[in-house]
Amino acid sequence: MNSFRVVCWVVWCLGFVRAANVSSSRPAIVNIGAIFNLDSILGKVAKITLEEAVKDVNADTSILHGTKIVLTMQNSNYSGFLGMVQALRFMETDVVAIIGPQSSVVAHIISHVANELRVPLLSFAATDPTLTSLQFPFFVRTTQSDLYQMKAVAEIIDYYGWKEVIAIYVDDDYGRNGVAALDDELAARRCRISFKEGINSGTQVNRGEITSLLVKVALMQSRVIVLHAQTDYGFMVFNVARYLGMTNNGYVWIVTDWLSSLLDSASLPSETMDVLQGVLVLRQHTPDSDRKRGFVSRWNKLTGGSLGLHSYGLYAYDSVWLVARALDAFFSQGGVLSSTNYTSLGGAADKGSDLNLDAMSIFDNGTLLLNNILQSDFVGLSGRMKFEADRSLVHPAYDVLNVVGTGLRRVGYWSNYSGLSIVSPEILYAKPPNRSSANQKLYSVIWPGETLSKPRGWVFPNNGRQLRIGVPIRVSYREFVSPVKGTEMFKGFCVDVFTAALNLLPYAVPYQFVPFGDGHKNPSYTELVRLITTGYIFLVQYFDGAIGDIAIVTNRTRVVDFTQPYAASGLVVVAPFTKINSGGWAFLQPFTTLMWIVTACFFLFIGIVIWILEHRINDEFRGPPRQQIITLLWFSLSTLFFSHRENTMSGLGRFVMLLWLFVVLILTSSYTASLTSILTVQQLSSPISGIDSLKAGDEPIGYQVGSFAEHYLTEDIGISKSRLIALGTPEEYAMALKLGPKKRGGVAAIVDERPYVEIFLSSQCTFRIVGQEFTRSGWGFAFPRDSPLAEDMSTAILQLSETGDLQRIHDKWMTRSSCLDNAEIDSDRLQLKSFWGLFLICGIACFVALLLHFLQIMFQLWKSPPSEPPSSTTAWSISGRFQRFLSLIDEKEDPSRSNGRKRERSLDDQLVR
């Protein structure tokens, strides 16, 4: 027992010594610094939250175990130079970490000092996405990066379907780099910034400069404006915008989180709130919690309601706790607050300066403290404080707010986990991520002008410039488009459709027609489309759009957007034809050769089947072999005219005859109709049957100059280019077809789009369309990619189609003649593929009937005793049964079984007599 007490005493002593050593390794105080603009709204909130956080840390003995944090604050006043000076002052006092700054500009400068002296720099408000660990390894962002905020803005723009935006920003690191991130995110969604310009970041806000900028914006097409600025600059922009009428209906303003921080912290006068009505605002999302609600209540008591708490204040509070927990882990790992004099300055230190540069030192264990900061994982007032591999906080999320009345109304959330949602991100984190477009939702927004209707997001720019609409100068088929002599206008089917669609738009479209082509031959429509996106003259886009008979084909849709097709089109083959006289053998033409053969075989087959089914019970199908063959053939052929005199007595035979007579009825009806058509209607024939016969041959083929038919025939069909002959006018078409493929300049057929062919055939009655249309496309108007005008014009074209105006325009320009009657040559002969179903059903019925008939005979064979005693050999037994089977097939059925049928037949004969 005494020995046990001695052991316990020794263990207690060792533990006491260890605790004393641990306590001795922890200093009484630890100096940390804070640099931010104390006079700003954000700085005023941050000052209070930092002080309260230090009090809470020092009051919690479970964190630093007696070590106290001493916080020293310095004012940077948004100046990078002053921020650097204050940071150097901190280095004279052996601070182990610096909290701040709030400005990204200052953070860029101070981060160089932190890197040199190995002091972690924790910023709760510097959101510039270019502040990365690659360049600044000792910079730690304890808030969300603008990379995520701009991703949220881009997803909002994409959600509402806007394609172009205007970006206004403060011209410093914070503004430029934030907008650059927005540009990248928009490009990933096929959207873009059509115009961006910065505001001078000087200390004085120049109203004249902002006015000039907004006047320039008002003359542009886009009405979606993203404002990424700071408080003073932002409010000046809104004041000038209201003066210019840019906060009314039709405009969209999306503002980053600087505005929400201000509105959360201060109550603004009603005049200021009126300017902001309908604005969309982002705010860093901080999840609700009991601890957060408790701190908010405590905050209200501290400030008396005179100053509100914003999200950056919560991040500032958590930054102090982050340093405290990292220091606790640092001391637990044996870390010591030691430093080494910074000798890199050499003799450059100014002895007479207020800055004691010689006193600056490098934090020896700064890297260890930095690693503990990055490895921290706890839940603070702003949410979970944990860093990803790229040093960004986990679960970046934003509230999407709408300025309505005197405050902010939440219309949804954005999170990097699942995009836009009306459900809190904390709920979505428990589910699998779903970023599908159907899952992206926001509540309705009250837009500027107090409207719930989503703004279109663009108008035609009011800068005096008209849209340059390219119009081809056609040499042939001028019904579609042609210039009006003595004017700059055009006329034709395509022009009328374009102007009719423009008249249905809810806004005016200033435009001018620009001719394209030399007037001697049809221009290349592919080149016309290309100039919409790649052609420029004096830095101005050559064409803002193109109208005309422009076919919508794949290679063109890769560079421009087309409207809804206003005319159906497709490639067809035109060839000469010859008239076919009926002749003495015209009665054979309704059926093809194969159809005749199959039909004849089935007549014979049905006769055989009926003979088998009726032979045992029907005397009309019995007799000498010669008589039975004649009966079989006569019965088969007589069914063609429904004049067979032989009666069917078996049920299976009647079933087969019922189906066969139905087949015969269909065949004779079809034959009669086809023969009537052949004898009464003029028949046409052409050596060309369609595109397949053209491809298989080696004869020359004509196509229209400038048409996409050349590319299609060579690239898609695989026809040699040497076989193609370019033709420009309908007269050239007719001449080439008349010459034929044997003569120079002649062609076997012409491949062109159906609308051209219909006009050509309206005056040329000696040619016809052969085969079927082998491509399906249409004509549309071309505009630059993602042009909103293309979408609105498509809607207008659909309205023209629904009201019948499109057809009326077509009838006005497209004349028809009798030559178009029966224009397409195709075979009228009836083929087996049209009747194979009937033959199949009849064949199956015959097979089933024969199967049942033979099963009946087999059953009778098994049931009846053999006529001779069975032999001892198996071979004789099998041979005997087979002979018995054949005899049953040929023998007359027992009269006792067919007595009823015979009586019925005798009664029928008496009635006939």
Side-chain angles (χ1 to χ4, degrees):
M1 185 70 178
N2 291 333
S3 61
F4 175 74
R5 290 178 179 177
V6 170
V7 171
C8 291
W9 182 79
V10 170
V11 170
W12 180 84
C13 290
L14 290 174
F16 178 80
V17 171
R18 182 175 180 276
N21 290 335
V22 171
S23 177
S24 63
S25 65
R26 292 177 179 262
I29 62 171
V30 175
N31 292 314
I32 63 174
I35 301 176
F36 51 91
N37 184 12
L38 296 174
D39 299 327
S40 65
I41 292 292
L42 192 151
K44 292 176 181 178
V45 173
K47 181 177 181 297
I48 299 175
T49 55
L50 289 173
E51 291 172 345
E52 294 302 309
V54 171
K55 291 179 184 179
D56 293 344
V57 169
N58 290 335
D60 190 343
T61 57
S62 65
I63 298 297
L64 291 175
H65 306 285
T67 299
K68 302 296 181 182
I69 289 180
V70 176
L71 176 67
T72 304
M73 300 185 189
Q74 298 289 351
N75 189 0
S76 66
N77 197 26
Y78 288 118
S79 170
F81 175 75
L82 289 179
M84 183 182 65
V85 171
Q86 302 301 347
L88 293 176
R89 290 186 186 278
F90 281 141
M91 302 310 170
E92 299 174 5
T93 59
D94 294 330
V95 296
V96 297
I98 299 175
I99 297 177
Q102 74 186 65
S103 168
S104 297
V105 176
V106 179
H108 272 278
I109 298 175
I110 298 181
S111 293
H112 291 286
V113 179
N115 288 348
E116 286 291 326
L117 303 181
R118 301 177 192 170
V119 176
L121 181 66
L122 294 81
S123 177
F124 58 88
T127 57
D128 179 2
T130 63
L131 287 166
T132 63
S133 59
L134 295 176
Q135 184 179 6
F136 307 112
F138 279 83
F139 175 82
V140 179
R141 195 194 324 271
T142 58
T143 186
Q144 300 296 346
S145 168
D146 274 343
L147 180 66
Y148 297 108
Q149 180 169 210
M150 295 308 170
K151 190 172 183 178
V153 172
E155 291 201 15
I156 291 173
I157 293 169
D158 185 52
Y159 172 77
Y160 286 110
W162 300 314
K163 295 300 182 182
E164 293 185 357
V165 302
I166 293 173
I168 301 175
Y169 58 94
V170 60
D171 194 9
D172 58 13
D173 293 332
Y174 160 77
R176 285 191 300 271
N177 296 329
V179 169
L182 174 62
D183 202 2
D184 293 340
E185 294 295 338
L186 288 174
R189 293 160 179 80
R190 286 193 62 185
C191 305
R192 70 186 185 96
I193 298 177
S194 60
F195 175 78
K196 59 183 177 181
E197 188 164 328
I199 304 171
N200 192 345
S201 60
T203 56
Q204 297 294 327
V205 181
N206 189 327
R207 183 182 178 92
E209 178 185 347
I210 293 177
T211 302
S212 300
L213 169 61
L214 291 183
V215 168
K216 192 185 303 182
V217 169
L219 297 176
M220 294 183 177
Q221 175 174 288
S222 178
R223 285 295 182 261
V224 181
I225 303 172
V226 177
L227 182 58
H228 184 52
Q230 294 164 355
T231 305
D232 295 338
Y233 302 101
F235 277 109
M236 180 63 74
V237 168
F238 275 113
N239 287 330
V240 175
R242 184 179 187 182
Y243 173 76
L244 296 176
M246 297 176 65
T247 58
N248 297 330
N249 190 10
Y251 280 89
V252 177
W253 288 86
I254 301 176
V255 183
T256 51
D257 58 2
W258 64 267
L259 180 57
S260 60
S261 299
L262 176 64
L263 296 178
D264 288 338
S265 303
S267 297
L268 301 180
S270 59
E271 295 81 4
T272 303
M273 293 302 298
D274 290 342
V275 177
L276 302 174
Q277 294 301 302
V279 172
L280 278 182
V281 190
L282 292 180
R283 177 174 61 196
Q284 297 197 29
H285 175 72
T286 55
D288 197 14
S289 64
D290 293 337
R291 188 181 176 193
K292 177 182 173 182
R293 285 191 293 269
F295 187 80
V296 171
S297 176
R298 174 179 162 192
W299 175 272
N300 292 331
K301 293 178 181 178
L302 287 172
T303 61
S306 61
L307 186 64
L309 179 62
H310 52 60
S311 58
Y312 286 109
L314 300 177
Y315 283 113
Y317 180 91
D318 288 342
S319 298
V320 176
W321 278 90
L322 180 61
V323 173
R325 291 178 181 273
L327 284 170
D328 183 51
F330 173 81
F331 291 136
S332 298
Q333 296 167 0
V336 179
L337 301 181
S338 62
S339 59
T340 303
N341 286 337
Y342 185 70
T343 58
S344 297
L345 289 175
D350 186 358
K351 302 297 184 180
S353 171
D354 291 338
L355 290 175
N356 188 8
L357 300 180
D358 289 337
M360 288 194 305
S361 57
I362 299 174
F363 185 12
D364 293 333
N365 292 317
T367 303
L368 178 60
L369 178 59
L370 175 66
N371 291 334
N372 284 311
I373 290 173
L374 297 176
Q375 294 171 6
S376 297
D377 186 1
F378 68 96
V379 178
L381 296 182
S382 62
R384 189 176 181 185
M385 296 293 291
K386 181 182 178 181
F387 295 94
E388 300 279 9
D390 61 352
R391 295 194 183 182
S392 61
L393 289 176
V394 297
H395 301 321
Y398 287 84
D399 298 335
V400 183
L401 309 172
N402 185 203
V403 179
V404 178
T406 59
L408 295 170
R409 167 178 166 264
R410 183 187 289 115
V411 296
Y413 305 89
W414 176 90
S415 67
N416 196 44
Y417 185 76
S418 58
L420 298 172
S421 174
I422 57 177
V423 181
S424 170
E426 288 71 41
I427 298 176
L428 297 176
Y429 293 148
K431 303 177 182 179
N434 185 355
R435 298 188 69 92
S436 63
S437 58
N439 197 53
Q440 306 299 298
K441 295 180 181 178
L442 290 175
Y443 288 118
S444 59
V445 175
I446 300 177
W447 302 100
E450 299 182 358
T451 178
L452 290 173
S453 300
K454 184 199 78 171
R456 190 170 66 245
W458 69 279
V459 295
F460 276 97
N462 188 22
N463 55 8
R465 179 177 176 269
Q466 295 179 321
L467 294 182
R468 294 172 56 87
I469 304 298
V471 186
I473 302 178
R474 292 198 57 87
V475 177
S476 59
Y477 301 111
R478 298 167 67 87
E479 294 89 346
F480 296 111
V481 58
S482 62
V484 179
K485 293 183 179 180
T487 68
E488 296 180 354
M489 299 303 296
F490 285 77
K491 65 179 181 179
F493 168 68
C494 303
V495 178
D496 281 2
V497 173
F498 177 74
T499 55
L502 283 183
N503 292 334
L504 292 178
L505 298 182
Y507 47 85
V509 180
Y511 68 92
Q512 61 173 333
F513 288 140
V514 180
F516 176 72
D518 56 11
H520 300 293
K521 64 178 181 178
N522 294 334
S524 170
Y525 282 35
T526 300
E527 180 66 16
L528 170 63
V529 169
R530 188 188 66 81
L531 288 176
I532 295 177
T533 55
T534 61
Y536 290 87
I537 179 172
F538 301 117
L539 302 180
V540 177
Q541 194 166 346
Y542 198 88
F543 289 139
D544 299 298
I547 69 170
D549 44 339
I550 306 173
I552 304 174
V553 293
T554 304
N555 62 329
R556 296 173 185 172
T557 58
R558 295 191 180 104
V559 294
V560 297
D561 280 348
F562 282 95
T563 62
Q564 174 80 14
Y566 61 87
S569 178
L571 293 178
V572 293
V573 178
V574 180
F577 69 92
T578 56
K579 297 179 181 180
I580 303 176
N581 297 321
S582 56
W585 299 95
F587 67 91
L588 294 177
Q589 293 182 12
F591 287 168
T592 61
T593 304
L594 180 61
M595 183 67 181
W596 278 117
I597 295 173
V598 172
T599 303
C601 291
F602 254 85
F603 271 102
L604 181 61
F605 174 66
I606 292 298
I608 295 173
V609 171
I610 294 298
W611 180 85
I612 294 174
L613 297 176
E614 296 290 326
H615 179 69
R616 299 184 67 230
I617 61 175
N618 195 336
D619 292 336
E620 295 180 350
F621 288 90
R622 300 185 64 83
R626 182 172 177 273
Q627 180 182 349
Q628 292 185 52
I629 293 174
I630 294 173
T631 301
L632 187 150
L633 295 176
W634 167 255
F635 179 82
S636 300
L637 295 176
S638 62
T639 57
L640 177 63
F641 309 102
F642 304 95
S643 60
H644 51 285
R645 64 180 181 179
E646 293 79 10
N647 293 324
T648 52
M649 301 178 63
S650 67
L652 294 176
R654 292 175 178 177
F655 171 68
V656 171
M657 279 300 299
L658 179 65
L659 288 177
W660 174 243
L661 291 177
F662 175 73
V663 172
V664 171
L665 175 64
I666 299 299
L667 291 177
T668 55
S669 301
S670 301
Y671 175 87
T672 303
S674 181
L675 181 60
T676 302
S677 175
I678 291 174
L679 295 177
T680 58
V681 179
Q682 178 178 271
Q683 300 297 307
L684 306 177
S685 176
S686 173
I688 305 297
S689 61
I691 188 63
D692 292 331
S693 62
L694 278 181
K695 180 180 177 181
D698 58 357
E699 297 172 327
I701 304 170
Y703 70 93
Q704 184 182 172
V705 175
S707 171
F708 77 96
E710 178 186 12
H711 180 272
Y712 182 83
L713 292 174
T714 56
E715 300 297 330
D716 296 345
I717 300 296
I719 296 176
S720 174
K721 198 169 184 178
S722 61
R723 295 178 56 194
L724 302 182
I725 297 178
L727 304 171
T729 64
E731 292 75 16
E732 294 181 7
Y733 279 24
M735 181 61 67
L737 289 172
K738 289 177 181 178
L739 289 175
K742 303 299 182 181
K743 296 182 179 180
R744 184 176 181 180
V747 296
I750 292 175
V751 175
D752 205 352
E753 296 178 68
R754 179 177 285 274
Y756 304 124
V757 171
E758 290 179 352
I759 293 180
F760 171 69
L761 295 180
S762 66
S763 59
Q764 298 290 335
C765 299
T766 57
F767 310 107
R768 291 291 184 269
I769 297 174
V770 295
Q772 300 296 322
E773 187 175 304
F774 56 92
T775 65
R776 297 287 182 182
S777 62
W779 290 351
F781 304 132
F783 294 96
R785 295 297 296 270
D786 302 320
S787 170
L789 185 58
E791 181 178 349
D792 290 350
M793 286 291 287
S794 295
T795 303
I797 291 172
L798 289 176
Q799 292 179 7
L800 289 175
S801 178
E802 292 171 357
T803 58
D805 291 338
L806 188 60
Q807 184 61 43
R808 283 188 284 273
I809 297 173
H810 177 275
D811 295 340
K812 171 186 174 182
W813 290 97
M814 307 299 157
T815 57
R816 297 177 64 90
S817 73
S818 58
C819 292
L820 289 177
D821 297 334
N822 302 318
E824 296 187 8
I825 300 176
D826 201 357
S827 176
D828 293 330
R829 304 186 72 186
L830 300 176
Q831 302 179 17
L832 179 62
K833 64 181 181 181
S834 303
F835 301 95
W836 69 267
L838 286 173
F839 288 126
L840 178 64
I841 294 173
C842 188
I844 292 175
C846 293
F847 174 78
V848 172
L850 290 175
L851 179 63
L852 293 175
H853 178 71
F854 287 124
L855 286 176
Q856 290 175 357
I857 296 176
M858 293 295 293
F859 179 75
Q860 185 177 354
L861 176 64
W862 174 77
K863 192 174 181 180
S864 62
S867 58
E868 298 179 4
S871 174
S872 59
T873 63
T874 305
W876 191 94
S877 177
I878 295 175
S879 176
R881 287 185 177 272
F882 182 70
Q883 291 179 2
R884 175 60 179 163
F885 176 75
L886 294 178
S887 65
L888 285 176
I889 292 177
D890 185 61
E891 74 179 7
K892 178 80 172 168
E893 188 177 349
D894 189 358
S896 62
R897 290 195 221 167
S898 57
N899 191 29
R901 292 196 188 97
K902 289 181 178 180
R903 285 199 299 267
E904 291 176 3
R905 184 178 176 187
S906 64
L907 289 174
D908 292 340
D909 293 340
Q910 292 176 7
L911 290 174
V912 171
R913 290 172 185 162

